[in-house]
Amino acid sequence: MINFKKLKLEIFYLQAAFRQYRQGPDYLRHRYFFARKILNLRKIFQNPINYNNLSIHFLLCHRDLIPFIWSLASFYLASDFFGHLIIHNDGSLTKKDKNLIKKFFLQTQIIEEMGKLDNLPSNYRLLIDQIRNFYPKIPLLKKLLEPYLFNQTPIHLIIDSDLLWFKNPTELEKEIKDGSQKSLMMCGEGGGCPVIFKDGTKLEKPLSFFNSGIVLYHRNNFNLEKLAEYCQKVDWQNSANIHFLEQAAFAFSLNNLTPLPSDQYLIKGGVDSQTIVRHYTSPRRPLFYSEGLKILKDKIFE
């Protein structure tokens, strides 16, 4: 059966690669031919865990398996620090997917179940149960809650699978070393994320620029009271909010929130010698292949 939604998205990416980015041939070559070669790579990516108080979390689906392998491989090669690696299965990972993940990343723990609520006050248990009701429609909400509820370590680093890493993220390492007194997120430009509240107002503009491609926080800075306030205010039925609900919730709820330098932790702009990481968000996904893989392939395959 043809998946018309997926087909429509692929056509959108092809048009963007050729018309907007003028990198059509590179996109075709790396997206449809080269990217899959990583599955046959005979290489293990493994770094010593030098921060036992840190867990690194990904929310992963079957569709994003190949970009995820590239993304995490690039993080291993670029980063001088590492913690406990935890993959949260969105429910679509197959047995073959899990075997491939563990083939490349021996330190991985794949989590199938949802985090426990035992240590939370009863009023917050009810709140989280209410949010979990939206998981089938808004899977990204798992990224907001499940790392916190899993309660593996005091410090959580949450990373999307559409990032590619080019240099050691020194700002993240410094904050982890200091005990994560600050919460860190990527920060974008432009119009911000358009999260609308029930009364018609929008998320405060400075908060709307934060991007959840990278989120670093200490558990003490995850403010459940603020999260409850956000959940009461946000318009859950507004379809314009769907893609930004978890991102805005992080920005609204995290204490001591500070943006990562946008000229090194990129969302827009080309990769250069100062770039630490680039988040290839959905509108810019073709560049993950035509730019990012083109830069990293020799390093990953050496």
Side-chain angles (χ1 to χ4, degrees), residues 16 85 124 129 131 154 161 210 235 249:
L85 177 62
Y124 293 133
D129 277 338
I131 298 174
S161 59
F210 282 96
D235 186 351

Side-chain angles (χ1 to χ4, degrees), residues 198-217:
K198 291 173 184 174
D199 63 1
T201 61
K202 293 185 178 181
L203 182 70
E204 186 181 347
K205 194 165 186 179
L207 295 180
S208 74
F209 292 113
F210 282 96
N211 177 280
S212 61
I214 300 172
V215 184
L216 175 72
Y217 67 87

Side-chain angles (χ1 to χ4, degrees), residues 4-282:
F4 287 101
K5 186 176 180 181
K6 183 179 179 181
L7 180 61
K8 184 179 178 180
L9 185 62
E10 290 297 326
I11 292 171
F12 169 79
Y13 288 153
L14 279 167
Q15 290 176 332
F18 277 91
R19 295 178 182 176
Q20 183 176 352
Y21 301 119
R22 309 293 183 184
Q23 297 182 19
D26 277 338
Y27 172 70
L28 288 172
R29 188 180 309 115
H30 290 91
R31 166 69 174 87
Y32 294 104
F33 299 99
F34 184 76
R36 293 188 61 84
K37 288 187 177 182
I38 200 168
L39 299 180
N40 300 317
L41 182 64
R42 295 181 177 274
K43 191 171 184 178
I44 293 172
F45 299 92
Q46 187 169 354
N47 289 351
I49 295 175
N50 49 6
Y51 289 94
N52 263 307
N53 61 343
L54 169 70
S55 54
I56 302 173
H57 299 260
F58 288 84
L59 174 64
L60 186 61
C61 66
H62 169 75
R63 180 193 61 198
D64 293 336
L65 179 68
I66 291 175
F68 161 77
I69 294 173
W70 279 94
S71 178
L72 186 52
S74 72
F75 181 80
Y76 268 101
L77 293 174
S79 176
D80 289 339
F81 69 91
F82 212 74
H84 302 275
L85 177 62
I86 299 168
I87 309 299
H88 298 267
N89 182 2
D90 83 330
S92 66
L93 294 179
T94 66
K95 183 178 179 180
K96 183 178 179 181
D97 294 339
K98 297 171 195 175
N99 288 337
L100 280 167
I101 291 168
K102 293 190 173 182
K103 166 190 167 184
F104 292 110
F105 312 108
L106 300 180
Q107 299 158 302
T108 308
Q109 183 178 4
I110 299 176
I111 302 298
E112 309 286 350
E113 68 275 7
M114 292 188 288
K116 296 180 180 179
L117 309 182
D118 301 354
N119 296 326
L120 296 178
S122 58
N123 57 323
Y124 293 133
R125 295 181 201 177
L126 178 61
L127 168 71
I128 288 168
D129 277 338
Q130 290 172 339
I131 298 174
R132 280 175 166 173
N133 289 332
F134 289 95
Y135 279 4
K137 184 179 180 182
I138 313 171
L140 281 175
L141 288 172
K142 295 180 180 179
K143 189 176 86 170
L144 170 68
L145 286 179
E146 298 309 323
Y148 177 83
L149 296 172
F150 185 65
N151 195 18
Q152 175 79 3
T153 62
I155 301 173
H156 301 295
L157 174 60
I158 303 166
I159 306 175
D160 280 355
S161 59
D162 54 357
L163 279 73
L164 289 172
W165 301 80
F166 304 97
K167 295 176 65 176
N168 180 39
T170 52
E171 289 79 11
L172 294 175
E173 183 173 17
K174 180 181 183 301
E175 196 57 45
I176 293 165
K177 187 176 182 180
D178 291 343
S180 287
Q181 302 300 308
K182 298 176 185 175
S183 303
L184 300 179
M185 289 179 68
M186 297 187 83
C187 202
E189 300 173 355
C193 61
V195 169
I196 301 167
F197 295 131
K198 291 173 184 174
D199 63 1
T201 61
K202 293 185 178 181
L203 182 70
E204 186 181 347
K205 194 165 186 179
L207 295 180
S208 74
F209 292 113
F210 282 96
N211 177 280
S212 61
I214 300 172
V215 184
L216 175 72
Y217 67 87
H218 192 286
R219 292 181 58 79
N220 294 339
N221 280 327
F222 195 98
N223 191 326
L224 290 173
E225 187 173 339
K226 290 288 291 181
L227 179 63
E229 180 187 348
Y230 173 83
C231 290
Q232 290 171 351
K233 293 178 67 171
V234 76
D235 186 351
W236 292 92
Q237 305 306 320
N238 191 321
S239 60
N241 286 342
I242 287 178
H243 297 295
F244 304 100
L245 282 168
E246 55 80 28
Q247 179 168 281
F250 273 126
F252 193 94
S253 306
L254 289 175
N255 294 336
N256 304 320
L257 183 59
T258 302
L260 288 161
S262 60
D263 59 338
Q264 295 176 294
Y265 295 76
L266 296 183
I267 298 173
K268 292 183 178 181
V271 174
D272 60 26
S273 61
Q274 302 303 311
T275 303
I276 289 173
V277 62
R278 180 165 184 184
H279 188 188
Y280 293 95
T281 55
S282 186

